[in-house]
Amino acid sequence: MSLPTFPQINPPLSREGSLNEIISSIAAEELSLSHILNAEGEKLQYVLGTLPGLEETAALEEVMQVNRSVQDTVSDVMEQQALLTAKLSAAMKAPVLPGPAGPAGPAGAEGPAEGPTGPTGSTGPTGAEGPVGAMGPTGPAGPQGPQGVTGATGDPGAPGETGPAGPTGPTGPDGAAGPAGAAGPAGAAGAAGAAGPAGPTGAIGPGLSAAFAANTQGSTVSVALGGTPIPLPNAQVLPADITANAANTVFTVANAGTYQISYHVNTTLALMMGTRLVINGVNNTASTLAPVLLSSSFENQITVTLAANSTISLQMYPATLAGSAVLVGNGAGASLTIIRLDESGPAIRSEHEVEGGWDFEEE
């Protein structure tokens, strides 16, 4: 078997040229994917009978087959799109290395042998003074001059030390009585009196409850056109009055009251899907996050008044086509929290301290 041969590229590609070719090929693949998606859209229009000129509509089984085919194709396109995004990111981050230095240019023409005389420099600083000569001998003393004028009087000296104290004089008469002094501090408190009788029993506290459930196992949810409930089998904290069905998709509150309900959904890929709460089989509008842009994180919170034995489900639904959503694993893929805020329903116990121990009663 002979070795493969590759065509010669003339002129040879540089590193920068190679990166440009890679980016051009990514753009060509993106264009091809857009044509594929357009073709899949026309396929759906054809089978649904929305194209002009069609007289017959397809059967339900044919529509479902085409829907599965389109779903598989869109899933493949999304995987290819993820690969193209990673390839484009790597190409855009690749450094463009500088090329080798070119050959040295020819030497310039030689200048004149001697340039014009420069300007005269400034005068330098004055030199240090020379050494002083030796001093001659001292001459004879002259005659004494006349006496000078008397100088000014000096400052007075410091005062002398104080003399010893004289003898104590006789004691004077007693003075008038002074005003009364302030009151002294209060004495210590007396011993505590005997304990009074026990007061009446306080009111029973509100019967509140809270429930939590999550999906942390990275489940794949097949999202149908009408919406699919998300199972929440993990990390469940369910009180006696809030229960889950066997599939962990429907939660029933036994007591009527006002409830605060919040949810979170996190997927591994950004999807054109929405989330909502389904209460007693009806889609709750206030809890709905409608699909407008691709997203991988969904969260909302509502406060709602529920009747006894109301049911609650967390649901995902597609924008246009059925598809699959993969929840984040080993973390908060999805979670649901249900908290009752008012005092409806059976009261909880309160405790009283009575003689001989604790007494528990129900209202």
Side-chain angles (χ1 to χ4, degrees), residues 139-156:
Q144 184 174 359
Q147 184 176 355
V149 296
T150 304
T153 304
D155 296 331

Side-chain angles (χ1 to χ4, degrees), residues 54-245:
L54 292 179
E55 298 179 355
E56 297 182 1
T57 58
L60 177 60
E61 179 61 27
E62 294 174 332
V63 172
M64 295 305 295
Q65 290 178 354
V66 171
N67 182 62
R68 286 192 292 270
S69 172
V70 171
Q71 180 179 344
D72 292 340
T73 302
V74 171
S75 179
D76 293 339
V77 169
M78 291 178 65
E79 293 179 2
Q80 184 65 22
Q81 179 63 40
L83 292 176
L84 291 178
T85 300
K87 186 189 298 183
L88 178 60
S89 177
M92 295 300 292
K93 294 178 181 178
V96 177
L97 301 178
E110 185 176 355
E114 183 176 351
T117 303
T120 303
S122 58
T123 303
T126 303
E129 187 176 351
V132 179
M135 184 179 296
T138 304
Q144 184 174 359
Q147 184 176 355
V149 296
T150 304
T153 304
D155 296 331
E161 297 180 358
T162 304
T168 304
T171 304
D174 294 337
T201 301
I204 297 176
L208 306 183
S209 63
F212 177 81
N215 188 315
T216 61
Q217 58 199 28
S219 301
T220 298
V221 181
S222 297
V223 183
L225 290 176
T228 299
I230 300 174
L232 304 167
N234 310 121
Q236 291 186 347
V237 179
L238 302 177
D241 59 338
I242 301 178
T243 57
N245 66 348

